């Protein structure tokens, strides 16, 4: 089994990383760090340029998370997927037999999350495994 974390270096994701490291360490399971890198738009050179920039942003963010995990003694796998974040996390959870998916929240109201389609909101409704949604504020 594993623990899957959606990570993008947002304030919610930074706090979720700490919680995911605690869960991974407590169960002695690897942490799968996932970045959904689907760029908005369609085809063409502009899309490819934007997609490359989004993937690079994810690579840098995940490097920081890998360092934090190594410092905590937690083994990691990194996945940068050309999918929207919720789908990337669901697919990674299925591939890695996830115990749970950990995500940070932005402190959105439930109505705002439902209207805008936030990743935590989607996961809470679609995930076959438990979702641990970590609030930004302590």
């Amino acid at each position: 089994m594993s623990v899957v974390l959606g990570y993008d270096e947002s304030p919610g994701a930074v706090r979720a990383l700490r919680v995911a490291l605690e869960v991974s360490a407590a169960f002695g399971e690897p942490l799968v760090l996932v970045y959904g890198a689907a760029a908005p738009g369609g085809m063409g050179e502009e899309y490819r340029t934007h997609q490359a920039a989004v993937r690079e942003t994810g690579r840098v963010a995940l490097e920081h998370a890998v360092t934090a995990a190594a410092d905590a003694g937690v083994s990691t796998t990194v996945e940068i997927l050309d999918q929207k974040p919720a789908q990337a996390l669901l697919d990674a959870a299925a591939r890695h037999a996830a115990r749970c998916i950990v995500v940070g929240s932005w402190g959105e109201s439930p109505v705002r999350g439902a209207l805008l389609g936030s990743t935590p909101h989607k996961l809470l409704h679609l995930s076959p495994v438990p979702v641990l949604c970590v609030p930004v504020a302590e």
Side-chain angles (χ1 to χ4, degrees):
M1 296 191 89
S2 67
V3 174
V4 170
L5 171 67
Y7 191 76
D8 63 3
E9 282 197 313
S10 65
V14 170
R15 185 147 185 252
L17 172 62
R18 291 194 304 262
V19 171
L21 289 172
E22 290 174 12
V23 173
S24 290
F27 287 104
E29 294 175 346
L31 179 62
V32 180
L33 299 161
V34 179
Y35 186 88
M43 305 295 276
E45 188 59 36
E46 185 175 311
Y47 172 78
R48 285 188 291 279
T49 301
H50 189 109
Q51 184 180 35
V54 170
R55 287 182 68 81
E56 178 61 17
T57 298
R59 187 191 64 73
V60 170
L62 293 176
E63 279 181 11
H64 298 155
V66 167
T67 300
D71 291 346
V74 173
S75 65
T76 58
T77 299
V78 172
E79 294 195 3
I80 300 175
L81 304 171
D82 291 326
Q83 297 175 299
K84 292 182 179 178
Q87 191 60 53
L89 290 164
L90 291 169
D91 289 351
R95 274 193 311 283
H96 295 278
R99 173 179 297 280
C100 67
I101 300 172
V102 181
V103 289
S105 74
W106 284 84
E108 295 175 339
S109 72
V111 171
R112 181 175 168 90
L115 292 174
L116 297 179
S118 74
T119 298
H121 186 263
K122 287 178 185 173
L123 290 171
L124 289 169
H125 291 280
L126 298 174
S127 178
V129 299
V131 176
L132 176 54
C133 187
V134 180
V136 175
E138 291 187 7

